[in-house]
Amino acid sequence: MINKNIYPKCQLKWQEFYGHEINWKIVWGNLKKVKITNKMKEFQWKCIHNIIYTESRLKKMQLSNGKCHICQTANNTENLQHLFFDCNTTKLIISKIKDIFSILNVHVT
């Protein structure tokens, strides 16, 4: 038998996207250990595997124009990167949530 390291395709795609090695033992370990609902774990698993039905994915199926409907900027293609890191509306919402948590004296990173 040949002992060959076989990795899920999602790992290779994320490493290529970010341009550096990712410690996948920690990623998968945290997914198992974190104390959240199964629906949240499923969402995280889908994000890691890039199978969330974003507008860009729906565009490939000819079901959408691919543009972000949250920030409604014509130039922004809605994908996971945009939704979680680049969307100005998402950034504003996260900022407001952090402000509320700050008022309530809840620490958020």
Side-chain angles (χ1 to χ4, degrees), residues 57-75:
R57 182 173 290 271
L58 293 172
K59 182 179 180 181
K60 290 178 184 176
M61 297 179 219
Q62 299 178 343
L63 298 172
S64 171
N65 64 2
K67 303 301 176 194
C68 180
H69 296 288
I70 295 172
C71 64
Q72 298 179 351
T73 304
N75 298 336

Side-chain angles (χ1 to χ4, degrees), residues 28-45:
W28 297 118
N30 286 341
L31 188 58
K32 290 178 184 176
K33 287 191 288 189
V34 70
K35 304 257 189 259
I36 56 175
T37 65
N38 284 337
K39 281 194 177 239
M40 288 301 297
K41 286 183 183 183
E42 179 182 349
F43 179 74
Q44 287 180 343
W45 187 89

Side-chain angles (χ1 to χ4, degrees), residues 4-49:
K4 190 163 119 176
N5 290 336
I6 300 174
Y7 302 104
K9 193 187 290 186
C10 65
Q11 288 182 197
L12 301 174
K13 285 188 175 187
W14 283 114
Q15 287 181 185
E16 180 181 314
F17 180 80
Y18 285 110
H20 62 81
E21 186 72 25
I22 297 171
N23 189 335
W24 287 101
K25 281 187 173 186
I26 292 174
V27 172
W28 297 118
N30 286 341
L31 188 58
K32 290 178 184 176
K33 287 191 288 189
V34 70
K35 304 257 189 259
I36 56 175
T37 65
N38 284 337
K39 281 194 177 239
M40 288 301 297
K41 286 183 183 183
E42 179 182 349
F43 179 74
Q44 287 180 343
W45 187 89
K46 286 181 177 183
C47 284
I48 291 170
H49 284 82

Side-chain angles (χ1 to χ4, degrees), residues 70 81-102 108-109:
I70 295 172
Q81 176 72 26
H82 174 74
L83 281 175
F84 291 121
F85 303 108
D86 301 332
C87 183
N88 289 328
T89 305
T90 303
K91 287 178 185 178
L92 179 65
I93 292 168
I94 290 171
S95 172
K96 295 296 181 189
I97 290 170
K98 284 183 177 182
D99 290 346
I100 292 168
F101 283 166
S102 176
V108 178
T109 56

